[in-house]
Amino acid sequence: MKVEGKHIRSIWLEPDGWSVSAIDQRRLPHEFVVARLKTCDAAADAIRSMLVRGAPLIGATAAYGIALAMRADGSDAALDSACKMLIATRPTAINLKWALDDMRSTLRHLPPSARAEAAYRRAGEIAEDDIAINTGIGRHGFALIEAIVAAKKPGERVNVLTHCNAGWLATVDWGTATAPIYLAHDRGHAVHVWVDETRPRNQGASLTAWELGHHGVPHTVIPDNTGGHLMQHGMVDLVIVGTDRVTAKGDVCNKIGTYLKALAAHDNGIPFYVALPSPTIDFGVDDGIRQIPIEQRAVDEVTTMTGRTADGRIETVRVVPDGSPVANYGFDVTPARLVTGLITERGVIRADRAALAAAFPERVAAAAE
Ligand code: MRU
């Protein structure tokens, strides 16, 4: 999508043909900094430290991490240790495992000398596929928005609420939850986005607001607890969120706080949609609440806040009393029964086992192997 009128992706291969660049998302919205990743260790560190984040982008970065590892050493031992290091970076987004499994199966039958080239090729395909998938999600989600526009009075704006950042920064381009929004906006529909700030890391306030602003999409940042009030007053037409993992029966794991938005949407009769690329489906897991590992992150994400001072300095301040115990769960699970529909690259489907299996039979078969 666009930054300062120029099209940019979240991650790309440099013209040198081997090093990888990514936008450092820890520095947004105050500074636009591009980080150059030259080793698998650097790619792992980028995922761990959330220089890159968002389920699809984590997968793409891991794929490039394997390519960087193979460039240094194409042996079986190097492939194993790169996969082991990368899989340990973040536990919840299944796209990480999906990408590593894909890279491993692409490479393992090749001689070590052929692996680097094949790894770069496959990582590039994973990145391109992500864009194609999100374009499909955009098309199908746009139809939902159009239907709401048709049901409202002509010219009235559609209000979409989203949580965290499932935008182009979280993917390679377009985003998942934002793809229908960008398409609707680009085609001249009046769309407005309520952006949950998404404490503690503020991916909504820092990243979603930044991308929407740069693309010219009208939006309003709201504190996390505001959504229910807006829904009670008819100010939200639909919710679209992203996800880090969807189970075989349609449970949805996403950034902490998503479940509460789904409850509020359910109570107010507001459609709650989840946008997901197929690599986010985990057909090996059924019960999201009991089976998905929920990342717990450092407490200083909760005890402190970082921002820009009036004189332009970036500062971190403490907002919790010294000594108060703190918990920092990164994700929660929204049961399938609260999800109106799943917006996938193959259409909008019900959040249930039969619909998921019918839409992605090859993934079901692969999970059974
Ligand atoms: O902890 P993060 O910032 O990686 O969490 C990101 C989310 O929860 C997104 O909503 C999800 O990955 C979907 S991204 C298209």
Side-chain angles (χ1 to χ4, degrees), residues 36 46 56 115 126 151 159-160 190 213 219 249 259 310-311 355:
R36 187 76 77 96
R115 285 180 177 166
I126 286 175
N159 290 294
V160 184
H219 62 281
K249 74 177 173 74
Y259 171 50
D311 61 358

Side-chain angles (χ1 to χ4, degrees), residues 50 53-56 58 90 163-167 170-171 176 203 242-244 254-255 295 331:
M50 293 180 69
R53 29 69 51 204
I58 290 171
R90 294 195 69 191
H163 190 68
C164 193
N165 172 261
T171 64
T176 57
Q203 290 95 327
T243 171
D244 290 79
N254 191 46
K255 182 54 56 191
E295 179 176 20
F331 300 89

